[in-house]
Amino acid sequence: MGLGVAGVPLRELGLVLLVAASLTYLTTGVVRAVVVSSGHMAEIRERDVHNVPKPRLGGVAMFSGFLGAVFLADQLPALTRGFQPVTPEMSAVTWGAFVIVIVGVIDDLLELDAFTKLAGQILAGLVMSLLGLTWSVIYIPFGGGTTLVLDPIASTVVTVLLTVTLINAINFVDGLDGLAAGLGGIAGLSILMFSLTVLHDQGGMVSAYPPAIIAAALVGICAGILPHNFEPARIFMGDTGAMLIGLLLAAGSTSASGKIDMSLFGAVDVLALMSPLIVVVAAVFVPMLDLIMAVVRRVRAGKSPFSADKMHLHHRLLRMGHTHRRVVLVLYSWVSVVAFGAVAFSIVPPLIAIAFIVVSAVVAAIFTLRRQRELQPEANTDAITR
């Protein structure tokens, strides 16, 4: 079977990640050549920080990497239990990803209006939910602890709302070279770590395979696009790639929901019991915070919540004195603190997890403030020229 430690197929999941990264990296060059030759370059908008037209549609290469990784996983004996007829979840996420990629490609080429794009996002969430990937169980720690089992309608609504929210959170934060891919990779890695923990604790439970496969593929495609997309980017992932990352994050966290056996934990282990929900919230905390701030800011100004501006977190960090690349690294550091800090509660004792969060947060804060002071003169000039 090729299983790793205690029923965990580490080698197979590693191979899935590697194939996703390799295919994405290789096909990105092909996509870039096709886009450049066809002349479909990204126009420079007022809110952009780049000043040279560059090709979009890097998300198409990411989708090819995802499809290749999923196909490989289905062929590996140690991972086939994550597919039909055992579970429909991998088929559901694949078709949902196909829908969101179609919407993204059309948007990258033709600039869809906000409501049409939103309708496409809802459709992708519905497809994923109706085909069998839904958020079915939520643990509520209050009042002695309650496991809330959602009925089909409620689970569909929750799944679609989560999917649309995460898609837009990643799409909103995709404003600097390599930012969305890095945040998606970090979030995916945190979900993968949680899934591996569940697989280890429960001896290879079948239902824990889909989130592990989804997360491994997500980490792979993000790693594969980064060499092309990190500052200075040679190609943008476009809305196609950003929305694909958001959908896969929603799929991975939805698949991980309800997969933890509460009988394995004591009554005091509330954080461990809530790990599926906490991990995904923590993993996308920074982009979600940016999304909420943007919506509130625009509504208060009497504008559409979907209108664009230059007040996102990365724009603010640029104005604070960081260079383009440093802003991305700063956001990487804070997302890592929150995401891996949440995962730590399901891996190590609470005191160790808290210590890890405190120490890593201090390090991230020092890195953020030190770079701001050191780069202030240079970054101010850079911000003006952008």
Side-chain angles (χ1 to χ4, degrees):
M1 295 291 289
L3 295 177
V5 179
V8 182
L10 294 176
R11 288 177 297 177
E12 287 78 4
L13 288 170
L15 185 59
V16 168
L17 192 158
L18 180 61
V19 167
S22 300
L23 281 177
T24 301
Y25 177 80
L26 294 174
T27 54
T28 298
V30 177
V31 171
R32 183 181 184 278
V34 172
V35 173
V36 170
S37 63
S38 65
H40 287 97
M41 307 291 281
E43 297 296 330
I44 301 176
R45 301 162 296 188
E46 182 180 354
R47 67 181 185 273
D48 290 333
V49 295
H50 65 280
N51 51 22
V52 177
K54 297 181 181 180
R56 289 187 188 271
L57 294 177
V60 174
M62 297 169 69
F63 185 54
S64 70
F66 175 74
L67 289 180
V70 170
F71 176 79
L72 171 67
D74 194 20
Q75 309 306 309
L76 297 175
L79 298 180
T80 52
R81 67 188 70 184
F83 293 82
Q84 289 181 324
V86 181
T87 171
E89 292 187 356
M90 290 307 303
S91 294
V93 66
T94 301
W95 282 109
F98 176 76
V99 172
I100 205 64
V101 166
I102 293 298
V103 174
V105 169
I106 295 174
D107 183 51
D108 284 334
L109 294 177
L110 303 178
E111 288 277 344
L112 294 175
D113 63 87
F115 290 103
T116 301
K117 190 191 300 186
L118 178 62
Q121 296 168 356
I122 293 174
L123 177 61
L126 275 174
V127 167
M128 196 165 65
S129 179
L130 294 176
L131 289 180
L133 181 54
T134 59
W135 194 286
S136 56
V137 179
I138 298 178
Y139 178 77
I140 302 174
F142 309 108
T146 304
T147 300
L148 181 62
V149 180
L150 304 178
D151 61 48
I153 295 178
S155 64
T156 298
V157 171
V158 169
T159 302
V160 172
L161 284 176
L162 175 71
T163 301
V164 172
T165 301
L166 293 186
I167 287 174
N168 283 289
I170 298 298
N171 202 23
F172 270 50
V173 82
D174 184 27
L176 293 178
D177 298 349
L179 181 55
L183 298 189
I186 293 169
L189 185 57
S190 68
I191 295 174
L192 177 59
M193 291 172 62
F194 171 78
S195 301
L196 293 177
T197 301
V198 175
L199 280 168
H200 178 270
D201 289 344
Q202 303 187 16
M205 186 176 66
V206 169
S207 57
Y209 277 76
I213 296 170
I214 294 168
L218 172 58
V219 174
I221 65 174
C222 289
I225 193 71
L226 265 178
H228 298 277
N229 187 239
F230 199 73
E231 203 273 335
R234 295 188 295 276
I235 185 172
F236 297 142
M237 68 171 66
D239 282 1
T240 306
M243 293 197 296
L244 176 62
I245 290 175
L247 181 131
L248 293 180
L249 279 176
S253 57
T254 299
S255 181
S257 67
K259 301 297 170 63
I260 195 165
D261 185 355
M262 285 178 273
S263 66
L264 298 175
F265 297 88
V268 297
D269 295 319
V270 173
L271 289 173
L273 296 176
M274 294 184 66
S275 287
L277 187 58
I278 292 176
V279 166
V280 67
V281 171
V284 297
F285 175 78
V286 172
M288 280 298 301
L289 176 64
D290 195 22
L291 172 61
I292 293 170
M293 290 173 59
V295 170
V296 171
R297 179 174 66 247
R298 293 163 187 174
V299 170
R300 288 182 60 182
K303 299 179 181 179
S304 166
F306 298 101
S307 61
D309 59 32
K310 297 190 70 171
M311 296 294 290
H312 288 294
L313 289 176
H314 52 272
H315 291 122
R316 295 171 186 266
L317 286 169
L318 283 170
R319 288 194 293 272
M320 284 171 61
H322 291 287
T323 63
H324 186 144
R325 183 169 294 189
R326 290 292 178 180
V327 168
V328 174
L329 296 177
V330 165
L331 291 174
Y332 281 3
S333 66
W334 284 108
V335 171
S336 298
V337 169
V338 181
F340 296 134
V343 176
F345 281 101
S346 62
I347 299 177
V348 297
L351 287 179
I352 297 179
I354 292 172
F356 167 79
I357 293 174
V358 171
V359 171
S360 57
V362 170
V363 172
I366 293 174
F367 173 71
T368 303
L369 296 175
R370 179 175 297 174
R371 297 315 306 178
Q372 176 187 341
R373 288 195 297 269
E374 290 179 2
L375 297 173
Q376 186 76 36
E378 172 192 347
N380 281 339
T381 304
D382 181 64
I384 294 173
T385 59
R386 290 181 190 279

